[in-house]
Amino acid sequence: MRLEDVDPALFKEEDNWRRYLEEQYLRLHRWFRERSLPVQNPGWRSEYVEDIVGLGYPTLLGD
């Protein structure tokens, strides 16, 4: 059973936080790239996306 089916309000709150954190990650990612600095732990992004997409949720970080 999915969280949005059990508690839609809690799901919306969690979804908003996840989106906020993804936006912050993208902001920091751009900052590193603009300065030609290596992104720390780049594998984290693909693992995160794999997990989120696997759960059936959208993500700003790619597919």
Side-chain angles (χ1 to χ4, degrees):
M1 188 162 264
R2 295 170 59 103
L3 181 57
E4 64 260 47
D5 298 330
V6 176
D7 191 337
L10 180 59
F11 171 75
K12 184 175 181 179
E13 181 180 340
E14 186 276 334
D15 193 48
N16 287 335
W17 272 111
R18 183 179 45 77
R19 183 159 304 270
Y20 171 77
L21 292 172
E22 289 179 3
E23 289 168 352
Q24 295 306 307
Y25 174 83
L26 290 172
R27 186 177 62 81
L28 289 170
H29 190 270
R30 279 190 298 273
W31 186 90
F32 277 91
R33 291 293 186 211
E34 289 167 358
R35 288 155 181 80
S36 299
L37 297 169
V39 175
Q40 301 299 309
N41 192 14
W44 170 87
R45 182 175 178 165
S46 62
E47 292 173 14
Y48 170 82
V49 168
E50 209 172 286
D51 289 345
I52 292 299
V53 170
L55 292 170
Y57 298 115
T59 178
L60 298 174
L61 302 183
D63 54 0

